[in-house]
Amino acid sequence: MTRIDAKFAELRTAGNKAFVSYVMAGDPDFDTSLELVKGLPGAGVDIIELGLPFTDPMADGSTIQLAGQRALEGGMTLDRTLELARTFREGDNTTPIVMMGYYNPIYSRGVDLFLTQAKEAGIDGLIIVDLPPEEDDELCIPAQAAGLNFIRLATPTTDDKRLPKVLENTSGFVYYVSITGITGAAEAQATDVGPEVARIKSQTDLPVIVGFGIKTPDASQAIASVADGCVVGSAIVAELASGKPVSDVLAFVKTLADGAHRA
């Protein structure tokens, strides 16, 4: 059982929904990013989604693209991202960390070496948005064998014919993208999301977590109420980008987490 599996078991037992927060590793610099990540569990975050900076983040809107750019300009690399996770683990051995990013840096490192290093650093799962199920032999299946969850995205365009293929080797949870488009664009609507979550859950026992387009505590509550939890990324990244101190960003995160936990 991974930390992700254990966290969802704990939440189910307590009758709670999950709040997942996305932050870009190294934005705006390593130390600030580490301070923020260390503070997330205390702000009510159940699972940390840690962005791996990449030069061509095609699924992300401008807020997260700019965060990745700032991180890369500050010297953030795959090694430094793993170092950040490893340092976090020195004080927290229970909060799950999911690394979200693109395949190119992993391919360049070599899959076997990357998985060994990720596991050693305390990474629990991967969301690699540009690897479709047809490429599962490339990373998904080796990751599962190494003890990491491989989390797949389902979207509003994932129809009933495609969905079983998407779910086939997914583990940890299913990430449902609530809107058609990039991160930080339109706002998610619970009335649209609810039926889609039910459709996915009819075909899997995995938790379904909804992300994209969630920006407020009320939206966090509304979306979590029709799913097993929600993810907020761009709204948190934007708070940090505005120059606010980490303590203020964490206070904002807590309002979002409280919203999800009220669901």
Side-chain angles (χ1 to χ4, degrees), residues 133-202:
E134 287 73 17
E135 306 294 336
D136 274 358
D137 288 341
E138 194 78 24
L139 179 63
C140 171
I141 290 170
Q144 311 264 35
L148 280 77
N149 292 124
F150 198 88
I151 296 141
R152 190 86 67 195
L153 303 182
T155 75
T157 60
T158 307
D159 60 21
D160 288 338
K161 183 178 179 182
R162 180 65 173 167
L163 186 58
K165 186 69 175 174
V166 169
L167 297 174
E168 188 175 0
N169 291 314
T170 301
S171 67
F173 60 91
V174 180
Y175 188 134
Y176 179 68
V177 176
S178 65
I179 58 172
T180 304
I182 53 177
T183 58
E187 292 190 16
Q189 301 296 327
T191 50
D192 298 329
V193 168
E196 290 298 298
V197 170
R199 182 169 69 92
I200 296 167
K201 289 179 77 68
S202 73

Side-chain angles (χ1 to χ4, degrees), residues 42-84:
V45 171
D46 297 300
I47 297 172
I48 297 168
E49 200 179 315
L50 189 62
L52 175 62
F54 183 55
T55 52
D56 188 22
M58 60 188 178
D60 293 305
S62 59
T63 299
I64 290 178
Q65 284 187 22
L66 289 169
Q69 199 172 320
R70 288 190 296 269
L72 290 169
E73 288 171 355
M76 205 61 182
T77 60
L78 174 56
D79 283 333
R80 291 282 276 163
T81 301
L82 293 171
E83 181 186 342
L84 192 151

